[in-house]
Amino acid sequence: MTQPQPQPLTLNPPPEYELKLLTALAYFLGRSLSAQALACLSMYLRQSEPRIMSQVRYYAHKADIHEYDLLDLIFEHPDRADELLKRAGKVHQPQEGDVFEEAIDQQSQ
């Protein structure tokens, strides 16, 4: 079985103060801004892993699937995960909008 290729990730710059903090951190660690942003995002995700996985576990239970199977399904086939979780009652529907997406839209105007 071939492994799915991760989708490219493009991030808009954070708000000014956070960008200054990120720039200072990159400066002191001798990293590029992009490498430091990736390191910060990775650290945040690792620290948030219990919270994220508790949500995955909750929905996996509702969908009668193992939590790591659901995690893989979300990564490899998000459309299939959507279909599976329709019955479980997803918390956030894509058409509902998101405060971070709204901020990005406002920055690009």
Side-chain angles (χ1 to χ4, degrees):
M1 183 173 138
T2 59
Q3 290 290 81
Q5 294 299 314
Q7 294 182 18
L9 183 61
T10 304
L11 300 174
N12 290 323
E16 183 180 355
Y17 183 69
E18 287 79 2
L19 184 57
K20 287 179 179 181
L21 293 174
L22 181 66
T23 303
L25 192 53
Y27 172 81
F28 289 122
L29 293 173
R31 290 183 174 152
S32 70
L33 196 58
S34 295
Q36 188 58 52
L38 179 58
C40 288
L41 177 59
S42 296
M43 181 174 44
Y44 169 80
L45 291 169
R46 287 293 180 145
Q47 290 174 347
S48 299
E49 191 264 354
R51 182 181 53 81
I52 296 166
M53 286 306 297
S54 69
Q55 190 167 7
V56 170
R57 203 169 12 266
Y58 172 80
Y59 284 107
H61 176 75
K62 289 187 87 155
D64 198 28
I65 184 174
H66 189 274
E67 62 193 80
Y68 287 102
D69 291 337
L70 179 56
L71 184 64
D72 289 342
L73 188 64
I74 291 168
F75 177 72
E76 296 169 5
H77 305 286
D79 54 331
R80 290 188 200 166
D82 281 344
E83 196 60 40
L84 178 67
L85 294 179
K86 277 183 183 175
R87 296 175 296 204
K90 275 178 69 172
V91 172
H92 182 80
Q93 299 298 325
Q95 67 273 16
E96 290 177 358
D98 180 281
V99 67
F100 291 103
E101 292 291 337
E102 291 168 8
I104 290 170
D105 291 343
Q106 289 174 358
Q107 285 179 352
S108 63
Q109 293 177 356

